[in-house]
Amino acid sequence: MTSSMKAVVKTGPEYGAELKEIPVPDPASGQVLVKIQRTSICGSDLHIYKWNKWAENNVNPPQIMGHEMAGEVVALGEGVTSVEVGDFVSAETHIPCGQCYQCKTGLQHICVNMKILGVHTDGVFADYAVIEEVDVWKNDPAISARYASIQEPLGNAIDTIRAGEVAAKNVLITGAGPAGLLAIPVANAFGAATVIVTEPNDYRRDLAEKMGADFVINPLEEDLEALVAEVTDGVGVDFVAEMSGAAAAIKQGLKQITPGGRIALLGVPDGPVEIDLAPDLIFKGIDMIGVTGREMFQTWFIARRLLKEEKIDIEPVITHEFPLEDFAKGMELMESGNCGKIVLKP
Ligand SMILES: [Zn+2]
Ligand SMILES: [Zn+2]
């Protein structure tokens, strides 16, 4: 194994990142070293790249970027027993403390002392990366590295759709970014009766159709209320999966839910969102559910089954694959919105 590697490093508190040649890290006790086969760009990577307020408050450069990946274990730190050299793995990206109230009660994914791979620690946009043993997920060898790399956002989509108990129900997905797009085949695999998707970007509306949505509309130009009334016989949708974080989409989504229905929110708004609670939530008896990350590790088992049994086709969501060196091209595309998932190959 070589002693140096290339890595995409956030070098300072400003726009951009640099490709650097740096030493291959040593796995410490309880960690494994993984040779990265594929990695993929997440919305949070773009925030770190552009250096927004959230990044400023969470990231401490210099640091290697990235958290979504698939690769092969090449070395073990002291005390690692559940993983072997040669295992084909991906990484859960929430690093739980294991000691807090949440961790001790089966809620590791919302640990109060949570660290996130590639946000609070060195990430995976590199030839090699160090992963905590607790976060290592052994992939089924039948799953390709590019699909295995995007299981992390697929887990976000699974957790959101799961919250809706969508079997035989009418579902509205607001926002067709990568997580929204992945939510479409998941909703279909879970047995949704109809899947309606709203998305202002033309390119992503087109992708939403390819991913298997029944109805796809531009909420800024078309009449969502009329469409929902027609599709649901005037009842309204049973469940909204809010994937955009846009205040307008959250408000519009709430209005489409039938009384007694549910909304799960995965999209992260920039700031406070004003909701008219009495008519839109309280008097309609709506369940509102916050979703963060993925339940560990239930969502990974579901992702494995769906991929292995080909219950979902996620190929259309991977719109671009670049060499790692071209990460800046990937970031620009992400910023334009004219892409699905962008996969990088070291
Ligand atoms: Zn991600
Ligand atoms: Zn904890």
Side-chain angles (χ1 to χ4, degrees):
M1 208 174 77
T2 51
S3 60
S4 80
M5 65 173 193
K6 57 182 185 310
V8 177
V9 180
K10 183 77 196 175
T11 47
E14 68 230 339
Y15 189 96
E18 282 175 55
L19 189 75
K20 292 213 154 211
E21 194 71 24
I22 59 171
V24 174
D26 274 328
S29 167
Q31 297 180 329
V32 307
L33 184 69
V34 177
K35 185 174 192 331
I36 306 295
Q37 293 171 343
R38 292 290 190 286
T39 172
S40 36
I41 303 178
C42 188
S44 59
D45 298 320
L46 181 64
H47 294 323
I48 294 170
Y49 187 79
K50 288 169 69 179
W51 202 244
N52 71 355
K53 204 88 227 131
W54 169 83
E56 217 171 278
N57 291 331
N58 282 280
V59 182
N60 199 3
Q63 193 171 284
I64 302 169
M65 292 183 60
H67 60 266
E68 298 175 8
M69 69 84 171
E72 188 188 330
V73 174
V74 291
L76 306 178
E78 208 182 310
V80 172
T81 55
S82 64
V83 188
E84 284 174 35
V85 168
D87 282 347
F88 172 45
V89 301
S90 287
E92 165 55 49
T93 51
H94 287 188
I95 305 169
C97 77
Q99 302 303 324
C100 71
Y101 178 73
Q102 281 67 24
C103 284
K104 294 281 194 201
T105 55
L107 299 169
Q108 297 179 82
H109 69 293
I110 42 174
C111 165
V112 290
N113 305 308
M114 180 82 71
K115 286 193 178 131
I116 296 175
L117 177 66
V119 176
H120 307 111
T121 68
D122 273 329
V124 303
F125 286 175
D127 291 325
Y128 296 89
V130 152
I131 306 294
E132 300 293 328
E133 182 181 12
V134 63
D135 286 326
V136 172
W137 175 255
K138 284 191 221 172
N139 288 313
D140 190 288
I143 298 170
S144 71
R146 57 208 297 263
Y147 289 178
S149 177
I150 67 170
Q151 285 174 109
E152 194 251 14
L154 176 59
N156 295 135
I158 289 170
D159 226 5
T160 311
I161 294 300
R162 212 163 56 119
E165 298 179 3
V166 300
K169 291 190 179 156
N170 293 314
V171 175
L172 170 64
I173 297 173
T174 48
L181 289 167
L182 286 166
I184 299 165
V186 172
N188 283 330
F190 282 18
T194 56
V195 177
I196 304 168
V197 176
T198 59
E199 167 59 49
N201 177 289
D202 295 347
Y203 185 96
R204 288 182 164 173
R205 274 205 308 284
D206 189 45
L207 282 179
E209 267 170 35
K210 292 192 176 120
M211 294 297 281
D214 298 298
F215 305 92
V216 183
I217 73 163
N218 181 343
L220 306 179
E221 289 173 4
E222 292 166 275
D223 188 346
L224 175 63
E225 205 170 327
L227 174 70
V228 168
E230 193 193 316
V231 172
T232 66
D233 299 322
V235 169
V237 296
D238 300 285
F239 176 61
V240 173
E242 207 304 296
M243 313 302 270
S244 73
I250 297 168
K251 291 182 200 182
Q252 197 182 33
L254 274 170
K255 296 231 182 277
Q256 308 311 318
I257 308 177
T258 195
R262 270 184 212 178
I263 181 169
L265 303 116
L266 180 80
V268 181
D270 286 338
V273 174
E274 196 175 293
I275 293 171
D276 201 346
L277 284 174
D280 290 345
L281 205 90
I282 298 168
F283 291 133
K284 283 172 76 177
I286 302 287
D287 279 342
M288 184 181 253
I289 301 158
V291 179
T292 182
R294 301 141 299 282
E295 195 184 306
M296 292 162 67
F297 278 82
Q298 176 69 279
T299 52
W300 288 85
F301 284 101
I302 296 172
R304 171 187 284 163
R305 289 179 210 132
L306 294 178
L307 288 171
K308 197 181 169 195
E309 304 302 328
E310 297 180 358
K311 297 292 183 196
I312 55 172
D313 176 14
I314 59 171
E315 185 57 36
V317 82
I318 302 175
T319 53
H320 300 80
E321 187 165 330
F322 297 133
L324 181 67
E325 290 85 338
D326 290 344
F327 66 93
K329 207 158 92 183
M331 293 293 176
E332 269 166 43
L333 257 173
M334 284 279 289
E335 198 165 0
S336 76
N338 293 333
C339 61
K341 209 71 198 161
I342 298 169
V343 170
L344 301 172
K345 187 178 182 304

